[in-house]
Amino acid sequence: MRHFSLLLRAPLLALGLAAPPGAGADCSRDIVVPVAPIGLSVIVNGGAVSGIYPELLRSLGAKAGCNFVFSAVPRARLEAMFEAGTADLLLPATGTPRRDLHGRFVPLMGNRPMLISVQSPRAPILNVQELIERREMRIALVRGYDYGETYQALVKELTRQGRVYLEVDTLSVARLLHGGFADATIMAPTILSGTIIGDARVQGMADRLRLEALPELPWGLSGAYISKKSLTPEDQTALRDLLERAAKSGALLDSFQRHYRPEILSSSIRPR
C-alpha cells in the first residue's frame, strides 16, 4: 500500500499546485477528519492514513491553507462522531436524508451500490424482492454503511429474518465471502475490490466477483459531508469551495481509473 500512496501523490500534488492563486479561503483551524478503511479510497496502515481521498485533501489543502488531521476509527463510530459534531468531515459518503440533518453534502462523483458475491451457478437476482425471498442467502454488511432509505429498509428486513452479518469493516465482509460463511454483500464494487487487492487472506477473490445491479438501489452521488455543527460558516464555505474544485478538476475520477479495473469502474463509478 505504500507503493500505491507514492504513485498517487505526484499527480494529486500537481493538481494542488495548479490551483489558481487565492482560490478559496484559508481554514481558521485544523480540520478534524476521522476515517475508516474503505478499499483504496481510505487506507489505514497502523497510525498512517493514506488513499485516494486523504491524498486529494492534502494536496488541495496545502494550496488553499487548510490542514486536515486524519485519524482511524470504525465506520459506525465515524457516523456517530459526525452526528455528534466531533468530526468536521464525513467522507467518502453517499448523500442521505439522515446525513443531511448534520452536514452540507458536496457530491464528487456518481456511484451505486450493487449486490456482490463470488461467482457461482446460482440464478440471477433481479430486484430487492427476489433477494428478500431467497432466504437461504446470508448477507454480510458493514455496520455504518448507508445507501439511503431503501437500503436501510432492506437491511431491517434481512436482519429480521436472521440473515445478516454486520461487520466492522470491509475486509471482514470479504473474508466471510471468501470462506463461504456469507453468500453476498451490498456496497459499491470499488470498495470491496480495493479492499481485497494485495491481501493474502482473500487472495484470488478479486477475479471472481459477481456484480448484480438492484433497480431499487439506483445510481446516486458520493462525496463528502461538511459538518454544520462543528465548523463556522466561513470554514464550511472554504471547504465547500475546495471540494467543488476537486470535483470539477476530474482528479478524483482519474485516481480511480488508474487503480481499478475498467469493469469494476464502469458498473459503479461515473462523473457526477
Side-chain angles (χ1 to χ4, degrees), residues 38-174:
I38 306 180
L40 299 181
S41 296
V42 177
I43 300 168
V44 176
N45 185 8
V49 174
S50 61
I52 291 173
Y53 283 92
E55 297 300 346
L56 180 67
L57 288 182
R58 286 174 178 136
S59 63
L60 290 176
K63 188 65 177 180
C66 292
N67 182 51
F68 297 94
V69 179
F70 297 94
S71 61
V73 300
R75 182 70 191 195
R77 187 186 305 170
L78 170 56
E79 294 275 350
M81 292 175 67
F82 186 72
E83 292 183 5
T86 56
D88 295 329
L89 287 180
L90 175 67
L91 87 165
T94 302
T96 68
R98 177 172 176 172
R99 290 169 178 162
D100 289 342
L101 297 175
H102 310 285
R104 302 168 65 181
F105 181 59
V106 180
L108 299 176
M109 64 172 55
N111 82 336
R112 67 173 172 182
M114 302 184 76
L115 183 70
I116 309 174
S117 58
V118 177
Q119 291 176 2
S120 73
R122 70 161 170 80
I125 293 176
L126 302 179
N127 53 54
V128 164
Q129 186 59 39
E130 285 192 12
L131 180 59
I132 291 173
E133 293 172 357
R134 297 277 188 93
R135 290 178 176 262
E136 76 282 2
M137 289 186 64
R138 299 153 298 176
I139 311 300
L141 303 171
V142 177
R143 190 185 305 275
Y145 279 17
D146 189 351
Y147 295 104
E149 294 178 356
T150 300
Y151 173 83
Q152 292 297 341
L154 174 60
V155 173
K156 184 177 180 180
E157 174 58 23
L158 295 177
T159 301
R160 186 190 67 79
Q161 295 179 8
R163 297 168 51 193
V164 172
Y165 296 104
L166 281 178
E167 300 297 321
V168 297
D169 56 34
T170 315
L171 181 57
S172 299
V173 168

Side-chain angles (χ1 to χ4, degrees), residues 207-242:
D207 297 326
R208 299 186 294 121
L209 295 180
R210 177 177 180 176
L211 310 180
E212 296 171 278
L214 301 175
E216 296 90 347
L217 299 176
W219 285 93
L221 292 170
S222 176
Y225 270 95
I226 302 169
S227 177
K228 295 188 290 189
K229 295 182 177 180
S230 64
L231 294 164
T232 65
E234 292 77 16
D235 281 343
Q236 292 179 44
T237 298
L239 290 171
R240 183 194 64 199
D241 292 345
L242 183 149

